[in-house]
Amino acid sequence: MEDKVIIFDTTLRDGEQVPGCQLNTVEKIEVSRALEALGVDVIEAGFPISSPGDFRSVVEISKAITSPVICALTRAVKKDIEVAAEALQYAKRKRIHTGIGTSPYHIKYKIKTTPEEILRRAADAVKYAKKFVEDVEFYAEDAGRSDNEYLAKVIEAVIKAGATVVNIPDTTGYCLPEEYGTKIRYLKENVTNIDKAVISTHCHNDLGMATANTIMGVLNGARQVEVTMNGIGERAGNTSLEEVVMILKSHHNLGLKTDINSRLIFSTSRLVSTLMSMPVQANKAIVGRNAFAHSSGIHQDGVLKFRENYEIIDPHEVGIKESSIILTARSGRAALNHRLESLGYSFGKEELDDLYHRFLLLADKKKEINDEDLRILSGEVYSGERALKLELLQITCGKSTLPVATVGIRINGEVHTSTATGNGPIDASFTAVRQLISKTVHLEEFLIQAITKGSDDIGKVHIQVEHQGKIYYGFSANTDIITASVEAFIDAISKIK
Ligand code: KIV
Ligand code: ZN
């Protein structure tokens, strides 16, 4: 039988402490509903005494949410506890989370008192909270830097006072995973009444070890984890929900499970990111834009042969439609062909070789090749060899400079060059082209379009020229719009019989 790990989500409390990420009550209700659907067990809805807005949010979340326990934070102060109890009055299932610092730093420099006094205040706060709610969680702030023997005494006292959950925060994100795991084990083995409470982890990510510490806590006996969506939180953030959930899910041999519906992870992550105006870093585990994106040729080939060659999680499991193959200069033929087939193209080996060659030329100029680029490249392959081909284009232009263009065109296997001036680089190039051909052509239409928004993107050029009363169409696409324009012009001219 698998042991359940309780998911305590503090996105709306510790996560919301991030400067600039504050949500209004309506947005908090939206996030709470998403967290409920996701399957979290506890929602820490706020710190009611801290502001009227936080108070109101706890009240409204309490009314809106049915299944998860709604938790409100307090200091070990009577007034805080009273206000939290009032804010929780509509909650179907409620918890007060009270606590005090237990590290030498907090005792001596923050609270300026003695360890004995802290012990007394901790137990008193829990006893007082018990007058309002049955479910009381105690946090030993800065437990990560607290002496284990002293911490054990405090934990024993608060459990005796009625704490149902004991939270062991690594408030400053200082602990090493081994050290944090040992701390949890120490409490498990030395607090005589520990079986009467659930041990909770609450890790910060200052040294990038929040998830590792949380997992070590769980492996050593903790059965609740305090986490936030996308790992948001003060400074470097809190342990991220999605990482812990997917670690436990991927390593099912650990015999630990959560009630999270992992398929809702991605949508919840995006909701939190959007509402909090907090972008998710591209390489963020599980929910980052690149978490399931493969760009090197070897990896792309491996994933296309068998997904698990390079993926330990099926992206569907976290609500992402599919792994993406990013087409770059490092992609191989297999990846290119795979994408072309998904776009409905089918090429023989020689055509694919030609397309791959053009693809690499373009990919060298443009970081990422998108589907529109591929359609254009495919169109080029279909159109076959051109009678006229641009081989050289050299432009001089700029402010206070007369535009001059030199073009080299292959005509019947031989390259001919010509130089001309104009009122701009395109005009100069077109005049140079005209000097090389024996036909009279009039430019009827000339359209340049950027395909998407990036400055590194491809420009598409459509041209119509008139020759002896007939219209001929030319097209080209290139990251260099002047080259695209000249190629489109030549393309149109080459169609004249
Ligand atoms: O990091 C911390 O110690 C906290 C407590 C208030 C639980 O957020
Ligand atoms: Zn915290």
Side-chain angles (χ1 to χ4, degrees):
M1 243 264 295
E2 283 180 321
D3 232 5
K4 174 167 165 169
V5 174
I6 298 163
I7 300 293
F8 175 114
D9 183 278
T10 184
T11 305
L12 296 174
R13 200 279 298 169
D14 225 353
E16 216 239 355
Q17 286 175 213
V18 178
C21 289
Q22 278 65 40
L23 300 180
N24 61 37
T25 301
V26 174
E27 291 166 333
K28 284 187 185 175
I29 291 171
E30 195 178 345
V31 172
S32 301
R33 290 209 166 109
L35 293 172
E36 180 170 37
L38 184 65
V40 308
D41 301 284
V42 185
I43 295 176
E44 188 163 47
F47 182 10
I49 195 131
S50 68
S51 72
D54 243 40
F55 181 88
R56 206 170 34 252
S57 296
V58 176
V59 171
E60 296 307 325
I61 291 169
S62 297
K63 288 180 189 166
I65 297 301
T66 312
S67 300
V69 171
I70 305 300
C71 178
L73 186 79
T74 79
R75 292 166 297 180
V77 171
K78 278 189 171 176
K79 186 71 189 159
D80 282 29
I81 294 169
E82 288 159 12
V83 173
E86 197 191 332
L88 287 170
Q89 61 183 301
Y90 300 105
K92 285 93 196 155
R93 301 167 70 203
K94 54 186 98 171
R95 177 183 296 178
I96 289 178
H97 188 191
T98 190
I100 195 161
T102 53
S103 71
Y105 297 93
H106 282 225
I107 298 172
K108 195 166 169 198
Y109 302 111
K110 182 182 155 188
I111 313 168
K112 299 188 172 62
T113 185
T114 60
E116 295 70 33
E117 175 63 10
I118 292 287
L119 209 145
R120 189 188 61 73
R121 280 166 65 175
D124 283 355
V126 172
K127 269 190 218 145
Y128 193 62
K130 281 297 254 196
K131 291 187 193 298
F132 302 95
V133 294
E134 187 42 45
D135 191 2
V136 176
E137 174 168 341
F138 173 81
Y139 64 87
E141 195 176 5
D142 204 13
R145 293 186 300 171
S146 300
D147 170 69
N148 286 350
E149 221 177 295
Y150 172 67
L151 186 61
K153 278 194 194 141
V154 175
I155 296 303
E156 192 157 304
V158 296
I159 295 176
K160 201 164 157 223
T164 45
V165 181
V166 286
N167 176 14
I168 313 301
D170 183 20
T171 305
T172 57
Y174 176 74
C175 284
L176 292 168
E178 177 77 30
E179 193 184 354
Y180 189 75
T182 304
K183 192 174 284 285
I184 301 295
R185 172 119 332 253
Y186 183 88
L187 297 174
K188 194 98 188 119
E189 288 172 355
N190 292 281
V191 172
T192 55
N193 52 4
I194 198 72
D195 57 314
K196 296 197 168 58
V198 172
I199 301 179
S200 183
T201 65
H202 179 114
C203 299
H204 280 265
N205 204 30
D206 298 67
L207 291 171
M209 295 188 290
T211 298
N213 285 350
T214 298
I215 295 297
M216 284 305 280
V218 169
L219 295 182
N220 283 282
R223 284 296 174 269
Q224 176 178 285
V225 291
E226 304 196 3
V227 290
T228 61
M229 207 63 226
N230 302 334
I232 62 164
E234 287 217 2
R235 308 183 309 277
N238 289 56
T239 306
S240 82
L241 179 150
E242 62 277 11
E243 291 175 14
V244 174
V245 167
M246 293 317 290
I247 288 170
L248 298 183
K249 195 163 183 178
S250 309
H251 290 265
H252 34 80
N253 56 322
L254 295 176
L256 296 164
K257 66 159 194 130
T258 70
D259 284 346
I260 295 295
N261 175 358
S262 66
R263 288 180 184 247
L264 294 179
I265 282 180
F266 187 68
S267 55
T268 314
S269 158
R270 286 303 176 265
L271 176 75
V272 168
S273 163
T274 308
L275 291 180
M276 292 197 160
S277 312
M278 185 84 175
V280 177
Q281 78 191 53
N283 61 334
K284 168 79 184 63
I286 319 293
V287 290
R289 175 161 45 86
N290 292 346
F292 297 95
H294 304 274
S295 65
S296 85
I298 294 173
H299 285 209
Q300 291 178 343
D301 189 45
V303 166
L304 291 172
K305 283 180 176 140
F306 184 51
R307 190 188 56 76
E308 277 136 86
N309 281 336
Y310 285 102
E311 268 180 7
I312 56 165
I313 298 170
D314 181 341
H316 292 102
E317 284 292 309
V318 294
I320 294 174
K321 280 204 206 82
E322 57 182 12
S323 358
S324 58
I325 299 284
I326 307 288
L327 293 178
T328 68
R330 282 172 289 134
S331 300
R333 278 180 181 69
L336 175 64
N337 197 31
H338 174 79
R339 179 71 64 81
L340 287 167
E341 280 177 357
S342 76
L343 292 174
Y345 293 109
S346 160
F347 291 111
K349 189 183 168 316
E350 270 177 31
E351 281 176 322
L352 186 65
D353 284 350
D354 180 30
L355 193 61
Y356 185 60
H357 173 68
R358 289 165 194 263
F359 164 81
L360 289 181
L361 290 177
L362 180 61
D364 269 344
K365 295 185 212 153
K366 193 172 182 280
K367 280 187 220 119
E368 213 180 286
I369 303 295
N370 58 36
D371 291 351
E372 186 64 23
D373 299 332
L374 289 184
R375 286 194 186 96
I376 290 165
L377 285 174
S378 305
E380 280 184 19
V381 167
Y382 279 131
S383 70
E385 268 305 299
R386 294 194 180 113
L388 304 176
K389 193 162 179 250
L390 181 69
E391 293 287 353
L392 168 87
L393 177 64
Q394 195 177 327
I395 307 278
T396 311
C397 64
K399 200 161 186 272
S400 314
T401 308
L402 178 69
V404 181
T406 299
V407 298
I409 303 180
R410 185 176 294 278
I411 307 171
N412 298 329
E414 216 179 297
V415 178
H416 301 261
T417 60
S418 158
T419 298
T421 57
N423 63 10
I426 293 176
D427 185 48
S429 312
F430 283 17
T431 304
V433 172
R434 279 193 176 93
Q435 289 169 7
L436 291 176
I437 54 166
S438 48
K439 297 156 190 148
T440 313
V441 290
H442 300 286
L443 192 58
E444 292 290 315
E445 199 170 303
F446 176 44
L447 179 71
I448 301 184
Q449 265 179 308
I451 289 172
T452 53
K453 293 184 222 91
S455 61
D456 67 342
D457 228 313
I458 285 192
K460 286 196 293 187
V461 179
H462 292 268
I463 272 183
Q464 282 180 32
V465 297
E466 184 270 337
H467 173 69
Q468 294 180 348
K470 277 187 83 180
I471 297 292
Y472 299 87
Y473 297 91
F475 170 76
S476 183
N478 201 296
T479 48
D480 173 348
I481 54 165
I482 300 174
T483 301
S485 304
V486 179
E487 282 177 346
F489 190 46
I490 292 173
D491 186 37
I493 293 167
S494 65
K495 288 173 185 160
I496 298 172
K497 303 278 167 351

